[in-house]
Amino acid sequence: MRSRSQTVAVTIAVFLAAGALGQAGIVSPYSDNGTPNTAVLYHLDEASGATTAVDSSGNGLDVTATTSPFAGTAGADGLGTAAGIFDSSDKHLRRLAFTDSEVSAFDTETFTIEAWVKNPSVGNSQQLPILAYRAANSRVDFRLTTSFQLALAVQRNDTGNYQLITSSEAYTFEDDQWYHVAVTYGNNGDTTANDSTIKFYVTALDDLSGQAQLLGNVLTDQTDLRALEAGGVLDVGGSDSSAVRSLGGYLDEVRYTNAVLAADDFNLAEPVPEPMSIVLLGMGMFGLGVIGWRRNRSAA
């Protein structure tokens, strides 16, 4: 028969195990060549001192910096290392003079741009670019503004003019924390001019909901974009050659997808029990097992 002290001990052990099941978030990297809709995918897990980041999409659009942005910095849990700090123009990862074939990998009618970001910093920056392609008369540029709004800089299809489209609110990026940021763009699949829809997302690493968090309102009736022209430059962590156009922080798992991803389509952090939680749960289950064994012996 179970004694009062045994019951109390086991109850406490199980309570501790269940109540202390703390969870940490771990992110799975996107699969290389995982989808034909991927234009570029940069895992940014190159070795310290590397100056070239490999495009893992299968399109071969590697980007190169003059000075290495790789120093073995830890990325978001599960993603290995990351690139940064992007604090000067010589650390921008770039690819010059795109050919017609190379630029055709990017759809400007339906797409998603995303990355993991840590410690974006204004410093002397006029803008904080994440991934940008710019040619003489076309561009798609995903960035943060100096007030930490998410933004998409584009060339209009109707006039060819430059336009900066920003989220309806800024976001507070806590120091030394990783965040998944994304923008989705869709022209709604028709020929009506300037009826496109844009969504901005920011999701903290410790958000284990499995859903990207929409920032502000969905922006509808937005401009349709010009198709990208050949001859332009692709930048990661900065834009152009200006030292005042740098992210100022770290990047990981940068991807351009030719599709509008939904809030649950992104590779966000998934919960895994922390080691101490597993130990406590094991103690609780062991305690219950001992009591059951003793009860069986008593019954025999």
Side-chain angles (χ1 to χ4, degrees):
M1 185 174 181
R2 185 186 303 178
S3 70
R4 181 182 299 273
S5 61
Q6 289 172 331
T7 300
V8 171
V10 171
T11 300
I12 291 174
V14 174
F15 174 80
L16 287 172
L21 274 177
Q23 293 178 323
I26 188 166
V27 184
S28 298
Y30 286 112
S31 299
D32 295 354
N33 307 321
T35 167
N37 289 328
T38 302
V40 290
L41 168 60
Y42 302 110
H43 294 306
L44 301 179
D45 55 3
E46 277 70 21
S48 295
T51 54
T52 296
V54 174
D55 171 23
S56 296
S57 73
N59 291 323
L61 302 178
D62 299 350
V63 285
T64 303
T66 302
T67 300
S68 176
F70 298 102
T73 302
D77 288 347
L79 296 183
T81 56
I85 301 174
F86 290 99
D87 56 0
S88 62
S89 61
D90 62 345
K91 292 183 180 179
H92 296 177
L93 290 158
R94 318 184 78 200
R95 186 179 183 88
L96 307 176
F98 268 61
T99 65
D100 288 328
S101 176
E102 290 173 337
V103 82
S104 68
F106 298 85
D107 189 351
T108 52
E109 294 187 354
T110 304
F111 63 85
T112 299
I113 306 174
E114 61 182 300
W116 284 90
V117 174
K118 185 176 80 168
N119 292 348
S121 175
V122 174
N124 65 343
S125 286
Q126 298 171 348
Q127 54 187 250
L128 286 67
I130 296 169
L131 179 71
Y133 180 86
R134 183 175 181 179
N137 296 300
S138 64
R139 82 173 76 189
V140 172
D141 179 347
F142 182 37
R143 66 173 74 161
L144 304 175
T145 69
T146 54
S147 58
F148 297 101
Q149 294 171 292
L150 271 67
L152 184 67
V154 300
Q155 300 291 136
R156 297 174 62 103
N157 187 47
D158 51 1
T159 64
N161 293 337
Y162 166 82
Q163 183 174 348
L164 182 67
I165 305 163
T166 62
S167 60
S168 58
E169 59 184 88
Y171 190 87
T172 301
F173 291 86
E174 300 293 339
D175 290 345
D176 299 324
Q177 301 296 317
W178 281 101
Y179 295 86
H180 180 269
V181 296
V183 58
T184 66
Y185 175 93
N187 71 352
N188 298 325
D190 56 37
T191 58
T192 303
N194 299 332
D195 67 338
S196 299
T197 299
I198 296 175
K199 298 179 182 180
F200 293 104
Y201 297 92
V202 183
T203 311
L205 178 64
D206 60 4
D207 183 333
L208 304 180
S209 67
Q211 297 275 332
Q213 301 303 305
L214 190 65
L215 180 65
N217 299 320
V218 175
L219 305 177
T220 57
D221 299 327
Q222 296 297 305
T223 181
D224 291 345
L225 308 188
R226 280 196 165 185
L228 298 181
E229 299 176 346
V233 179
L234 182 70
D235 274 293
V236 177
S239 64
D240 304 323
S241 59
S242 173
V244 295
R245 293 178 178 173
S246 300
L247 178 67
Y250 301 88
L251 283 175
D252 210 347
E253 204 74 0
V254 179
R255 188 169 79 150
Y256 188 116
T257 305
N258 295 321
V260 173
L261 300 184
D264 58 355
D265 287 337
F266 299 103
N267 277 12
L268 304 175
E270 296 182 356
V272 292
E274 294 178 346
M276 184 53 67
S277 299
I278 296 173
V279 170
L280 289 172
L281 181 59
M283 290 170 58
M285 296 306 295
F286 175 76
L288 287 175
V290 169
I291 293 300
W293 176 74
R294 288 181 175 177
R295 292 183 67 187
N296 289 337
R297 287 193 62 188
S298 299

